[in-house]
Amino acid sequence: MPQHHRLQPQAPWVEVVATQEDWDAADPSLLTTMLGQLLLIRTFEEYVLDLAKAGLVHGPAHSSIGQEGGAVGSILPLTSGDTVNGAHRGHHQFLAKALAHVEPKGIDPTKDFSPEVREVLLRTLAEICGLDRGFSHGRGGSMHLRWKEAGAIGTNAIVGGGVPIAAGSAWAHRQAGTGAVAVTYFGDGAANIGSTLETLNLAAAWRLPLCFFVENNRYAVSTAVEEATGEPRLSARGPGFGVASWKVDGMNVLAVHLAMREVLAHLRAGHGPAVIEADVYRYFHQNGPFPGSAFGYRTKEEEQEWRARDPIDQLSGHLVRRGLLSAPDVERAAARARDLMAGIGDVLLEPLPGGKPGQRQIRPGEWPDPGFAHVGVRGDLSEFAGVRMADRDTFTGELSEQRFIDAVAAVMARRMSTDESIVVLGEDVHRLNGGTNGATRGLKEAFPGRVLGTPISENAFTGLAGGIASDGRHLPVAELMYADFMWVAADQLFNQIGKARHMFGGDDAMPLVLRSKVAIGTGYGSQHSIDPAGIFATAPGWRIVAPTTPFDYVGLMNTALRCKDPVVVLEHVDLYASTGEGPVDDLDYCLPVGRAAVRRPGSRLTVLTYLAMTAYVLRAVEALDLDAEVIDLRWLDRASLDWDTIGASVRKTGNVLLAEQGPVGTSYGGWLADELQRRLFDWLDQPVQRVTGGEASPSISKVLERAAIAKEEEVAAKLAEMAAY
């Protein structure tokens, strides 16, 4: 018979319970501040639900009524330098952080609330209503609340989507040596999602000062936690990753406070991340002013049992018992909070003309200007003022024949030597003499602590890079080993990083560089061979560069690293071993944003192409001896295309071919052909023509792979057809 040895997790897992002695020993000002915050947040949420019932909140109103104790208890021990983010149900956490920021000495509920408190509530309500004076000028609404000055770095509508971003904030705190920590709030639904679990592992491996605060409100919309997992004690996730974990009654604000103080001591001492599970209860349904029992997934008896444990009632009872406040004092404080919210509502609302008594509308002057709708999708490039720009026709430095991959490594080494904020991260970037292709060769040894090999966790480390970028103290360069892996990290790339600047008001920079390789034609098959340009071009916020030569790579990477928008740098594997002209000593020039390169002049046909397809096009044109102008686009995103160069060529030739290697379904040329025909229709002698791969993604078989992609032969056939037109 085999022997069995019972194993125990290395990380501690404890439950914290506040005793009567703890309540008696608690500082009176702490308890009264807790009451002040709880009353303000509860009253605010009730007011939001009233507006939602009246149709004055466009979109969801995810109330946190019943859950305020977890937010107030955990945030009061934080400083303004500590950062928090949350999920779609995050009004209470946002308000707790913002109120603590403007009133660091506490809130006395027996006195009138300060103008700063009023301003926080006014701007938060305005944001939820979609109004211009909101923190993000109404773009974020109920689910996307951010005030970075207060350390509130953004609530998030994607379940678990904000967790990796908080890890980036925690990394930036640790790297800066400030002693600050990050707290990421999420619910029971997110406790089981991949981005959360990936980030738990990464944070543990890197010992980040990050608290994973799980609000176990027992229901993800209507699915009970016992239905969703075999271990409904969600703090059990922590020890499985080696993360110290605490469990606490979230309806007891003092118990949460005591647990968070222990967690903060753990985090600030450098012992790595921590988990807190707070058992809370949302009194209402997922969205709106109705209880869950109205939808049949909860009983009224269950709801009454939880309401009997209301955090405000518990705290008020102890305040009255200790003689710190009287019951009338508490009632008057609640009335002051209601009066405050009524006055704030009067600022934003007015009687509905011709409506029934009590009907109101948003004051017209509070709405944002419709012209603001698309402002701030990306920056204005003012960061390039005074920067030295150069292209092949203006570059005065020495050039030599060199390998493309050597230029990749050289320019990154140069930039890291001149800019200490740059940090490189990705899978194996710290090993194998520069990763799988040598792109980061020598960087780890030259720049200790700034080249970070990650676990295989694309969602987590990409989101972490986004959090670092949003923090602003460091510039992340993340590598996704193959472009196909972008789809593993799609939420972070497209929902988070790409949308962040615009979603939060258009003002905050998102300086991030994403490197990834296109491996079409290398025999790696369907899941390692995508060209992502076509999909990135239709996603807002990203800039896309596609270097073809060593010279271009240096200039384009320098530009990408200076840009305040997220930039994806596509590197084709076929180009790594290729050679071409590159700078010998001068690695500091930038190639201008939005400038294409005419690789071959011509007057009869225009061929637009990029990456490795450029060489195939040039060979096909030379073989056919055609009078064709070949334009290497270099910049592929909608905002950065060189329409001056493209337009001049099309007006001259009247014929356009878009040539790329990838499958037709995700083709970059699909949207570009439409744009060309709408912009330049009057100058076209025939429809825009295209060369792409087939419908299928490339296979492993050398024969089948070649049949699925486009190269020189396909370009030559299409050019011959067009020339005969």
Side-chain angles (χ1 to χ4, degrees):
M1 291 290 290
Q3 293 183 346
H4 293 81
H5 301 283
R6 188 175 181 85
L7 300 177
Q8 297 292 334
Q10 292 184 345
W13 181 26
V14 299
E15 182 173 11
V16 175
V17 178
T19 65
Q20 186 84 347
E21 289 76 17
D22 293 318
W23 280 103
D24 291 341
D27 186 281
S29 64
L30 170 66
L31 298 181
T32 54
T33 289
M34 284 177 169
L35 180 65
Q37 282 215 12
L38 287 172
L39 288 173
L40 286 170
I41 295 170
R42 173 70 60 86
T43 306
F44 179 92
E45 290 285 64
E46 291 172 341
Y47 196 85
V48 168
L49 288 184
D50 287 343
L51 295 187
K53 188 182 297 185
L56 295 173
V57 175
H58 183 61
H62 297 109
S63 162
S64 65
I65 294 175
Q67 302 180 207
E68 306 95 336
V72 171
S74 60
I75 286 174
L76 276 175
L78 302 178
T79 70
S80 290
D82 298 319
T83 48
V84 306
N85 72 354
H88 56 279
R89 191 182 313 284
H91 303 168
H92 52 326
Q93 296 138 9
F94 176 83
L95 285 173
K97 193 69 167 73
L99 291 171
H101 174 67
V102 299
E103 293 285 9
K105 294 183 179 179
I107 294 175
D108 186 344
T110 67
K111 298 180 180 178
D112 290 339
F113 299 109
S114 69
E116 292 79 11
V117 166
R118 180 181 182 276
E119 183 70 9
V120 164
L121 297 174
L122 174 60
R123 292 187 68 190
T124 307
L125 184 63
E127 185 60 42
I128 290 171
C129 291
L131 308 181
D132 185 58
R133 75 165 78 213
F135 285 96
S136 298
H137 303 290
R139 283 182 177 161
S142 174
M143 297 186 290
H144 309 286
L145 294 168
R146 178 160 80 170
W147 189 24
K148 289 176 71 174
E149 290 84 350
I153 60 174
T155 56
N156 203 294
I158 303 298
V159 174
V163 177
I165 296 169
S169 181
W171 183 90
H173 290 325
R174 191 187 65 184
Q175 194 76 354
T178 62
V181 307
V183 184
T184 183
Y185 292 86
F186 53 92
D188 46 285
N192 302 315
I193 206 165
S195 57
T196 300
L197 301 175
E198 283 187 20
T199 308
L200 260 172
N201 179 69
L202 189 151
W206 289 6
R207 301 180 70 80
L208 297 179
L210 175 61
C211 174
F212 296 80
F213 194 102
V214 190
E215 289 185 312
N216 188 350
N217 65 26
R218 299 188 53 76
Y219 294 93
V221 185
S222 64
T223 302
V225 66
E226 290 84 2
E227 298 176 79
T229 177
E231 174 51 277
R233 299 172 301 171
L234 301 179
S235 49
R237 307 291 188 275
F241 290 95
V243 175
S245 298
W246 283 254
K247 184 174 175 60
V248 67
D249 177 6
M251 308 299 278
N252 186 318
V253 63
L254 181 61
V256 176
H257 184 81
L258 295 173
M260 179 55 94
R261 286 171 55 183
E262 294 180 13
V263 166
L264 288 175
H266 173 90
L267 297 177
R268 297 197 202 280
H271 297 319
V275 170
I276 294 181
E277 176 191 5
D279 290 318
V280 295
Y281 198 77
R282 55 175 169 85
Y283 290 174
F284 294 93
H285 180 54
Q286 165 78 353
N287 173 33
F290 303 102
S293 57
F295 298 88
Y297 62 88
R298 299 196 303 211
T299 66
K300 291 182 179 180
E301 291 75 20
E302 177 185 306
E303 291 171 344
Q304 289 169 357
E305 288 175 6
W306 281 90
R307 281 180 177 268
R309 299 167 52 196
D310 186 89
I312 295 177
D313 292 345
Q314 286 194 57
L315 174 59
S316 299
H318 284 288
L319 285 167
V320 172
R321 179 183 60 80
R322 287 185 56 184
L324 300 175
L325 293 178
S326 67
D329 287 336
V330 175
E331 292 173 3
R332 284 190 290 268
R336 270 191 294 274
R338 289 192 294 271
D339 290 343
L340 177 62
M341 286 308 306
I344 287 171
D346 290 341
V347 174
L348 304 179
L349 305 170
E350 65 181 12
L352 179 66
K356 298 177 182 179
Q359 276 191 300
R360 295 183 293 177
Q361 68 175 13
I362 302 292
R363 294 183 184 274
E366 294 293 334
W367 293 109
D369 187 325
F372 185 62
H374 303 295
V375 174
V377 172
R378 57 189 62 81
D380 61 5
L381 302 178
S382 58
E383 61 267 32
F384 289 98
V387 172
R388 179 168 70 92
M389 298 289 180
D391 210 333
R392 279 291 288 105
D393 57 344
T394 59
F395 183 73
T396 57
E398 182 182 355
L399 297 169
S400 69
E401 194 78 4
Q402 57 189 253
R403 292 196 313 158
F404 187 95
I405 193 62
D406 293 337
V408 174
V411 69
M412 187 56 63
R414 172 61 177 166
R415 291 282 64 80
M416 292 184 77
S417 70
T418 61
D419 184 350
E420 294 184 355
S421 73
I422 295 174
V423 57
V424 173
L425 66 155
E427 295 159 3
D428 295 307
V429 296
H430 63 318
R431 295 277 193 270
L432 307 177
N433 194 27
T436 53
N437 293 95
T440 53
R441 185 173 60 251
L443 299 185
K444 181 187 177 186
E445 295 74 22
F447 309 103
R450 293 167 57 196
V451 179
L452 311 176
T454 67
I456 297 176
S457 55
E458 283 83 2
N459 215 8
F461 77 72
T462 302
L464 180 140
I468 293 173
S470 180
D471 175 86
R473 287 175 289 184
H474 298 88
L475 172 56
V477 179
E479 178 186 307
L480 288 174
M481 193 178 292
Y482 288 89
D484 306 67
F485 301 172
M486 293 175 179
W487 272 251
V488 181
D491 172 52
Q492 295 301 321
L493 293 174
F494 302 123
N495 273 328
Q496 311 297 340
I497 295 167
K499 294 178 181 176
R501 179 195 279 268
H502 182 265
M503 183 171 67
F504 289 120
D507 296 326
D508 286 331
M510 181 56 79
L512 179 149
V513 173
L514 175 69
R515 293 182 46 249
S516 195
K517 64 190 178 192
V518 177
I520 292 174
T522 61
Y524 269 71
S526 296
Q527 296 176 336
H528 286 67
S529 304
I530 197 171
D531 174 358
I535 296 173
F536 264 91
T538 61
W542 282 92
R543 296 187 187 269
I544 313 166
V545 297
T548 305
T549 69
F551 179 89
D552 283 5
Y553 191 94
V554 171
L556 290 171
M557 178 54 77
N558 283 333
T559 302
L561 289 168
R562 184 174 289 272
C563 189
K564 297 301 183 183
D565 297 321
V567 182
V568 57
V569 180
L570 301 179
E571 303 168 9
H572 201 295
V573 174
D574 281 358
L575 296 175
Y576 281 153
S578 69
T579 60
E581 284 188 330
V584 175
D585 299 313
D586 182 359
L587 299 172
D588 298 327
Y589 61 93
C590 289
L591 270 174
V593 176
R595 182 179 295 176
V598 178
R599 301 299 184 193
R600 184 184 190 279
S603 59
R604 187 177 178 191
L605 296 170
T606 297
V607 186
L608 304 180
T609 189
Y610 61 96
L611 288 181
M613 196 58 152
T614 304
Y616 298 135
V617 168
L618 288 170
R619 288 203 292 267
V621 169
E622 293 296 334
L624 293 172
D625 193 23
L626 285 178
D627 183 16
E629 185 151 281
V630 179
I631 298 176
D632 181 356
L633 293 171
R634 296 199 292 200
W635 291 88
L636 305 181
D637 59 280
R638 185 181 298 271
S640 306
L641 271 170
D642 187 351
W643 284 108
D644 290 340
T645 298
I646 294 169
S649 182
V650 173
R651 289 180 180 92
K652 177 173 55 175
T653 67
N655 296 282
V656 183
L657 172 65
L658 301 178
E660 58 187 311
Q661 284 193 285
V664 64
T666 55
S667 162
Y668 175 77
W671 81 269
L672 182 54
D674 170 73
E675 191 76 10
L676 278 163
Q677 288 176 151
R678 286 188 295 106
R679 285 180 180 243
L680 301 169
F681 179 80
D682 290 343
W683 285 274
L684 291 172
D685 295 334
Q686 61 176 307
V688 173
Q689 300 295 315
R690 294 169 59 198
V691 169
T692 72
E695 181 180 0
S697 49
S699 304
I700 292 291
S701 165
K702 187 173 184 179
V703 172
L704 295 178
E705 179 184 56
R706 179 61 189 89
I709 66 177
K711 282 190 165 183
E712 179 180 343
E713 292 81 1
E714 286 76 14
V715 173
K718 179 58 72 173
L719 285 172
E721 176 187 320
M722 292 177 68
Y725 181 77

